[in-house]
């Protein structure tokens, strides 16, 4: 069966199945299990009301439990076994991994990513949001800077491969160097700094996200506070740093953490740009090196990523609990 | 605010300029790729895309039609015009080997000579020597060769005279059996076209990859929306013990790294017989997309006016009816924004596709095709790569510009409340 037909069938079965499930289960609940008969009408309606939310939630809970909760446990357990999964090795995978140079490079690079990518994207995002705030063509400018968000990481990497190409007739950076008489270089092979060239691709993509959210936050600042500052003789920089930034600090934190999480998931850019060569590996791409080859090691790396995000996850959950 | 005192016009110019600079910087990489995707493959490697509108000096190998061969002394002579009888063009430089296609300027003769040399012991030897000389002149011969051997005399092995208009005269010591290969550096007009797109779509399985991407994306976008909408309604408008905790768990699951799920879920898929297949990737994308879907939809539904929903319930509507007749239609903006997110995410995904789809070339989606196949096999073929990249990002860009309003709204719903 061709994938297209299969896809159409899946949509029909999936959508039809979902609607059918919700419809049938509600009818079943109301007419068969707890029918509002005259003798115990009140009790049955109360019972049906107690059960119904779980009918609505069931498919979501199943999918979330299976695809996101179970893997946390499943991955951890798998990481305690060896390559082929038949021998319990305790924390052997972790011990071996931390002793390895490649892993420590990936860990260090990932640290750089987590520090500089959110910082860079938030900085440029805030800059553009502030600069376009009162601009006539601000929306067009924002739309264009936002655009890389729609591009895949693979596509973006290709776009930047053109920019970074070592041939001065292809890569614009080397063309500029060539114009000033400097010898062409391959930015992907400059030790240490190549990480930053790769990171900039991510910054380029995420700036639009930061900009959209920070721009909305800037619009939400009460005008009186700014007017008062102007009357008191504050210059534009003071207004920005002393009045505006403190008022949107909460949003800046949200943007920062969101980009941080994304950064911990993205293996595509490193994979496409260097394949992890020249000491540019990060944890997600390091994990993919072992995927299909050594599941014990791969799950161990995944669990390290999980441990890194856990503190922020707990903080997120507490924030959410407080707001309810 | 514009009327407030203290606004300086100088600052306004600086602001406009810096935004312009940023926008240009942000656009340049993409424009470079777009321009390159329409350029001729050979021209891409000759000049940068920023010179795409200017003529390109390009080396081409020309094998002219074999005309009449005449004899001129010891030499056989073929002549004609490299651009053909009625073609036109201008030759900047020319050569006789692919090693150095622009060895001599037009209007000169360039040839390979056989030098007769005597080495230190007085033994005669011959060696090849290439040089250019004026059309009416004779080649200048060095007194000694590179090894310091004395040059006695020379004969012409082959020589090419080329005029700027393309007229050439080819002389050769042996009788030519087939037409000589001439190398000409000529100025070509900019060559734009859809050749790269044609190549990539017809001969590289990219069309199959495009269809595969579409096949992955649409069910993976539609199904989670439906499941999430019901769950979001329950979390927003139904009262039951543990609701707060469920919302908190969903928020927590938002940040669980995808990587954790890869090994256990692939193992599970293999055990229950789904294996690596389209069904597997649809299920996986559904699971991974749900937290964000539930989160965005619940946040939106909570904000719907309470009176509408309560009055419907007073009128005897069941929860199912309230959901399908009132809440779902009113939640259209949130549904749309999640749909765009999920569409962009699944369309652009490489990781899930690499793990949950079979690794044979018939099942490759475009991202896998580009990253694992084209970058390796066509690594230096920038025209093809650029066209492939644009085929893969065209649809998301269209969706992006058409539905930007909903995308922005969804981002805001997910981040600031």
């Amino acid at each position: 069966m061709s994938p297209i037909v299969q896809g159409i069938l899946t949509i029909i079965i999936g959508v039809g199945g979902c609607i059918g499930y919700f419809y049938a289960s509600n009818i079943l609940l109301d007419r068969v299990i707890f029918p509002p008969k005259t003798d115990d009408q009140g009790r049955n309606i109360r019972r049906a009301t107690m059960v119904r939310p779980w009918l609505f939630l069931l498919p979501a809970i199943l999918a979330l439990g299976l695809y996101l909760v179970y893997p946390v446990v499943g991955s951890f357990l798998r990481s305690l076994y060896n390559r082929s999964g038949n021998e319990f090795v305790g924390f052997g995978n972790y011990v071996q991994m931390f002793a390895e140079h490649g892993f420590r490079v990936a860990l260090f690079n990932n640290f750089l990513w987590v520090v500089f990518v959110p910082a860079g994207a938030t900085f440029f995002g805030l800059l553009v949001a502030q600069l376009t705030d009162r601009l006539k063509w601000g929306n067009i400018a924002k739309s264009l800077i936002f655009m890389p968000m729609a591009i895949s990481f693979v596509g973006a990497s290709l776009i930047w491969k053109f920019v970074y190409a070592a041939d001065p007739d292809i890569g614009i950076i080397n063309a500029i160097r060539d114009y000033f008489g400097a010898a062409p270089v391959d930015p992907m092979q400059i030790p240490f700094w190549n990480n930053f060239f790769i990171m900039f691709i991510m910054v380029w993509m995420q700036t639009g996200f930061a900009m959209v959210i920070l721009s909305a936050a800037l619009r939400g600042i009460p005008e009186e506070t700014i007017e008062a500052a102007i009357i008191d003789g504050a210059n534009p920089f003071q207004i920005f740093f002393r009045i505006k930034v403190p008022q949107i600090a909460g949003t800046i934190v949200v943007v920062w953490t969101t980009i941080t999480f994304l950064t911990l998931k993205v293996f595509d850019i490193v994979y496409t740009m260097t394949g992890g060569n020249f000491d540019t590996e990060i944890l997600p791409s390091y994990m993919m090196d072992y995927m299909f080859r050594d599941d014990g090691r791969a799950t161990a790396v995944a669990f390290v990523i999980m441990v890194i995000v856990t503190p922020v996850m707990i903080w997120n959950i507490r924030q959410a609990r407080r707001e309810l | 605010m514009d009327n407030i005192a203290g606004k300086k016009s100088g600052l306004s110019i600086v602001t406009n300029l810096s935004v312009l600079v940023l926008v240009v910087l942000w656009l340049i990489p993409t424009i470079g790729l777009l321009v390159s995707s329409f350029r001729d493959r050979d021209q891409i490697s000759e000049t940068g895309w920023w010179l795409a509108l200017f003529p390109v000096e390009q080396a081409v190998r020309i094998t002219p039609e074999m005309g009449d061969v005449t004899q001129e002394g010891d030499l056989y002579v073929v002549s004609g015009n490299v651009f053909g009888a009625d073609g036109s063009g201008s030759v900047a430089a020319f050569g006789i080997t692919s090693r150095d296609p622009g060895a001599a300027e037009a209007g000169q003769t360039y040839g390979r000579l056989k030098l007769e040399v005597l080495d230190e012991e007085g033994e005669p030897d011959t060696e090849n020597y290439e040089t250019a000389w004026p059309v009416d002149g004779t080649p200048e011969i060095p007194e000694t060769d590179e090894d310091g051997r004395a040059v006695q005399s020379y004969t012409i092995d082959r020589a090419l005279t080329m005029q700027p208009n393309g007229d050439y005269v080819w002389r050769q010591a042996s009788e030519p059996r087939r037409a000589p290969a001439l190398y000409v550096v000529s100025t070509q007009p900019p060559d734009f076209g859809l050749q790269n797109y044609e190549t990539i779509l017809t001969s590289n399985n990219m069309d199959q990859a495009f269809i595969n991407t579409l096949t992955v994306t649409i069910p993976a976008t539609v199904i989670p929306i439906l499941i999430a909408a019901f769950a979001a309604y329950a979390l927003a408008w139904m009262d039951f013990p543990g609701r707060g905790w469920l919302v908190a768990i969903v928020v927590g699951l938002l940040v669980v790294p995808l990587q954790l799920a890869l090994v256990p879920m692939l193992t599970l898929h293999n055990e229950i017989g789904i294996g690596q297949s389209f069904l597997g990737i649809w299920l996986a994308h559904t699971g991974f997309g749900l937290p964000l879907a539930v989160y965005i939809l619940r946040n939106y539904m909570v904000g719907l006016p309470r009176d509408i929903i309560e009055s419907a319930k007073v009128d005897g509507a069941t929860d199912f009816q309230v959901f399908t007749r009132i809440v779902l239609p009113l939640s259209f903006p949130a549904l749309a924004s999640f749909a765009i997110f999920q569409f962009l995410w699944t369309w652009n995904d490489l990781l899930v596709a690499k793990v949950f789809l079979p690794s044979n070339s018939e099942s490759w989606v475009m991202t896998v095709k580009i990253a694992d196949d084209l970058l390796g096999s066509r690594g230096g073929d920038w025209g093809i790569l650029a066209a492939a990249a644009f085929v893969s990002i065209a649809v998301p860009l269209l969706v992006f510009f058409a539905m930007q309003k909903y995308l922005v709204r969804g981002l805001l719903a997910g981040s600031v409340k």
Side-chain angles (χ1 to χ4, degrees):
Chain A
M1 194 168 29
S2 92
I4 309 177
V5 180
Q6 211 186 335
I8 294 170
L9 270 180
T10 310
I11 295 182
I12 294 170
I13 295 172
V15 173
C18 281
I19 294 173
Y21 158 79
F22 288 116
Y23 190 71
S25 64
N26 273 282
I27 288 192
L28 197 69
L29 188 70
D30 288 332
R31 304 258 168 87
V32 183
I33 304 177
F34 300 118
K37 279 188 241 137
T38 39
D39 46 346
D40 50 10
Q41 189 179 12
R43 203 172 55 133
N44 268 1
I45 288 181
R46 229 182 9 260
R47 279 180 181 169
T49 316
M50 265 171 63
V51 174
R52 199 184 323 275
W54 301 102
L55 287 184
F56 275 59
L57 286 166
L58 187 69
I61 289 178
L62 278 182
L64 286 175
L66 195 58
Y67 279 89
L68 289 168
V69 181
Y70 157 69
V72 177
V73 184
S75 265
F76 178 65
L77 290 179
R78 182 65 186 82
S79 72
L80 302 178
Y81 285 83
N82 70 349
R83 175 190 297 245
S84 44
N86 50 17
E87 193 191 325
F88 183 80
V89 292
F91 288 98
N93 283 319
Y94 294 89
V95 173
Q96 225 177 37
M97 197 164 74
F98 275 94
E100 211 177 76
H101 173 71
F103 176 76
R104 284 190 309 228
V105 168
L107 201 62
F108 174 69
N109 287 342
N110 224 139
F111 168 76
L112 292 179
W113 275 68
V114 165
V115 171
F116 288 102
V117 171
T122 313
F123 169 76
F124 282 114
L126 191 57
L127 186 71
V128 178
Q130 166 64 22
L131 289 179
T132 53
D133 201 23
R134 312 234 172 267
L135 221 55
K136 269 185 201 145
W137 56 291
N139 279 336
I140 300 169
K142 279 197 274 192
S143 181
L144 292 175
I145 289 182
F146 194 28
M147 180 205 66
M149 173 133 192
I151 298 174
S152 62
F153 293 114
V154 174
S157 305
L158 244 177
I159 288 176
W160 282 86
K161 260 181 182 283
F162 265 81
V163 176
Y164 289 149
D167 181 349
D169 284 325
I170 308 262
I172 196 163
I173 288 180
N174 274 307
I176 294 169
R177 284 177 59 90
D178 192 56
Y179 181 78
F180 290 108
V185 290
D186 184 353
M188 288 304 107
Q189 297 191 29
I190 304 172
F192 185 68
W193 296 108
N194 51 7
N195 284 300
F196 289 85
F197 296 125
I198 301 176
M199 277 184 237
F200 189 75
I201 302 172
M202 188 74 175
V203 172
W204 178 73
M205 297 183 77
Q206 294 306 315
T207 294
F209 164 75
M211 173 202 72
V212 164
I213 290 172
L214 294 172
S215 167
L218 285 177
R219 292 262 163 91
I221 292 176
E223 299 260 305
E224 307 89 74
T225 55
I226 299 163
E227 279 168 30
I230 292 174
I231 292 166
D232 285 348
N235 68 37
F237 291 98
Q238 285 172 322
I239 293 174
F240 181 69
F241 287 108
R242 302 265 177 86
I243 310 291
K244 287 186 171 178
V245 171
Q247 292 195 68
I248 58 167
T251 313
I252 293 180
V253 171
V254 170
V255 168
W256 194 293
T257 47
T258 310
I259 299 177
T260 308
F261 287 129
L262 192 65
T263 306
L264 285 165
K265 282 185 200 172
V266 172
F267 94 109
D268 322 30
I269 297 181
V270 169
Y271 183 80
T272 318
M273 292 304 287
T274 62
N277 292 316
F278 319 119
D279 277 352
T280 55
E281 202 88 273
I282 56 174
L283 290 179
S285 64
Y286 182 81
M287 181 201 167
M288 279 310 279
D289 288 349
Y290 288 93
M291 185 79 207
F292 303 121
R293 291 202 291 123
D294 182 350
D295 284 352
R297 174 71 69 91
T299 45
V301 182
F303 204 75
V304 169
I305 302 177
M306 180 70 206
V307 170
I308 295 174
V309 300
T310 302
V312 193
M313 184 167 117
I314 292 170
W315 183 77
N316 258 8
I317 293 177
R318 288 176 64 174
Q319 288 291 108
R321 294 282 302 152
R322 200 175 300 158
E323 278 163 23
L324 284 174
Chain B
M1 278 290 265
D2 288 10
N3 54 357
I4 286 177
K7 190 175 159 65
K8 301 180 189 78
S9 63
L11 193 66
S12 158
I13 293 172
V14 172
T15 310
N16 272 297
L17 272 181
S18 30
V19 173
L20 190 68
V21 168
L22 277 167
V23 168
V24 168
L25 276 179
W26 243 247
L27 276 183
I28 278 181
T30 320
I31 292 174
L33 191 79
L34 181 63
V35 171
S36 302
S37 74
F38 290 107
R39 293 185 75 198
D40 176 69
R41 285 163 57 184
D42 297 322
Q43 294 203 343
I44 289 178
S45 48
E46 287 301 326
T47 59
W49 59 266
W50 50 94
L51 299 173
L53 290 176
F54 298 99
V56 180
E57 282 211 341
Q58 222 175 324
V60 283
R61 179 179 193 269
I62 295 174
T63 318
E65 298 237 334
M66 186 71 170
D68 294 333
V69 181
T70 53
Q71 265 195 300
E72 189 181 287
D74 298 339
L75 298 171
Y76 296 89
V77 179
V78 181
S79 61
N81 188 299
V82 283
F83 301 110
D86 34 49
S88 71
S90 88
V91 175
F94 68 96
I96 57 173
T97 58
S98 60
R99 185 165 31 83
D100 194 358
E105 283 168 33
Q108 285 184 307
T109 302
Y110 186 80
R112 182 186 296 161
L113 312 177
K114 284 224 181 296
L115 303 184
E116 304 282 337
V117 293
L118 284 181
D119 63 17
E120 284 155 13
E121 280 97 50
E123 294 288 323
D125 197 4
T126 60
E127 67 174 42
N128 287 338
Y129 178 73
E130 286 184 14
T131 187
W133 63 88
V135 176
D136 303 325
T138 50
E140 266 179 45
I141 302 301
E143 285 178 13
T144 58
D145 71 355
E146 282 167 4
D147 300 328
R149 301 184 293 190
V151 176
Q152 302 294 306
S153 63
Y154 72 90
T155 53
I156 292 176
D157 180 47
R158 56 191 58 183
L160 177 63
T161 307
M162 182 78 70
Q163 300 299 336
N165 66 2
D167 285 339
Y168 71 92
V169 180
W170 171 265
R171 295 184 182 82
Q172 190 175 330
S174 56
E175 185 174 354
R177 291 204 185 79
R178 50 199 154 77
L182 314 180
Y183 294 87
V184 169
V185 176
S186 69
T187 311
Q188 305 273 329
D191 185 1
F192 291 103
L194 294 171
Q195 303 97 317
N196 294 327
Y197 287 91
E198 257 176 61
T199 315
I200 192 73
L201 285 175
T202 52
S203 64
N204 269 290
N205 259 346
M206 193 70 179
D207 48 345
Q208 179 67 43
F210 187 93
I211 290 169
N212 287 342
T213 300
L214 206 62
T215 315
V216 168
T217 308
I218 293 177
T221 307
V222 175
I223 295 171
I225 291 182
L226 212 63
I227 297 179
F230 276 95
Y233 174 76
L235 292 174
W237 287 106
M238 292 166 117
D239 231 352
F240 59 93
R243 185 173 77 162
W245 275 111
L246 274 181
V247 176
I249 289 173
V250 168
V251 172
L253 290 179
L254 274 175
V255 300
V256 168
L258 202 56
Q259 278 86 358
L260 276 175
L262 301 180
V263 173
M265 288 322 291
L266 185 61
T267 316
L268 189 73
H269 279 182
N270 284 333
E271 276 166 9
I272 60 175
I274 298 175
Q276 288 181 312
S277 65
F278 280 97
L279 182 61
I281 198 172
W282 292 323
L283 291 174
H285 273 311
T286 302
F288 301 146
L290 267 184
L292 186 68
V294 175
Y295 183 64
I296 288 182
L297 292 178
R298 192 203 85 97
N299 277 354
Y300 189 86
M301 287 179 186
V302 159
L304 294 177
R306 180 172 283 274
D307 337 351
I308 303 180
I309 291 159
E310 277 177 357
S311 61
K313 280 190 179 170
V314 169
D315 290 346
T318 65
D319 273 312
F320 190 74
Q321 286 165 330
V322 172
F323 173 72
T324 50
R325 305 261 172 83
I326 299 173
V327 174
L328 212 50
L330 284 178
S331 305
F332 176 76
L335 294 172
S337 54
F338 172 73
I340 299 165
F341 267 120
Q342 182 75 355
F343 176 82
L344 291 180
W345 175 253
T346 48
W347 185 281
N348 290 337
D349 160 79
L350 172 68
L351 182 60
V352 180
K354 262 178 85 77
V355 175
F356 287 98
L357 274 183
S359 52
N360 56 32
S361 61
E362 292 87 58
S363 321
W364 276 341
V365 294
M366 284 190 288
T367 46
V368 178
K369 170 90 189 158
I370 292 173
D372 283 357
D373 183 38
L374 292 182
L375 270 175
S377 65
R378 297 255 191 181
D381 199 336
W382 294 102
I384 295 291
L385 282 175
F390 252 90
V391 169
S392 84
I393 65 182
V395 175
L397 280 185
L398 272 181
V399 170
F400 173 82
F401 282 114
M403 319 267 289
Q404 203 176 14
K405 191 175 76 180
Y406 293 109
L407 186 66
V408 169
R409 203 178 289 176
L411 277 181
L412 295 177
S415 305
V416 269
K417 282 185 264 19

